[in-house]
Amino acid sequence: QVQLVESGGGLVQAGGSLRLSCAASVSMSIINTMGWYRQAPGNQRELVATLTRGGSTNYADSVKGRFTISRDNAKNMVYLQMNSLKPEDTAVYYCNAEIGAWGPSGAYWGQGTQVTVSS
């Protein structure tokens, strides 16, 4: 089974930075798209950033220019560098992996990591 484990969340002041990490239990070579999503209390889960196997990225408008998604294929890790954090970035952040024909196809989620930005 595919497992994703997030780490790196915490409490930070507005304007600060955090880097989230996601460790995958399978090779990046079988994952079509890795992504970060977030869910704030009372809100639906929303896309933050995605990174395809081919290297294409996509960001929510609210984080463009502040967040960067990247990966380390050798370590089966995906990262989300978050700079210039705002209180509205406060949420539980989830790692997501979309696997197609190359492996156990489906969408997989981590358990989430809390990010809290104080004003």
Side-chain angles (χ1 to χ4, degrees), residues 2-57:
V2 178
Q3 292 185 325
L4 303 172
V5 179
E6 302 100 332
S7 60
L11 173 64
V12 63
Q13 288 188 332
S17 297
L18 280 175
R19 188 177 83 153
L20 305 183
S21 300
C22 174
S25 64
V26 296
S27 170
M28 289 292 174
S29 64
I30 70 167
I31 300 175
N32 290 342
T33 303
M34 291 293 300
W36 288 96
Y37 292 72
R38 67 187 181 186
Q39 187 168 17
N43 291 354
Q44 290 187 333
R45 192 172 296 188
E46 64 177 5
L47 180 147
V48 176
T50 59
L51 173 61
T52 68
R53 186 193 299 117
S56 298
T57 57

Side-chain angles (χ1 to χ4, degrees), residues 2-3 8 15 20 27 40 44 46 59 67 84 87 91 102 109-110 113 119:
V2 178
Q3 292 185 325
L20 305 183
S27 170
Q44 290 187 333
E46 64 177 5
Y59 294 93
F67 291 11
S84 302
W102 295 86
W109 296 90
T113 185
S119 57

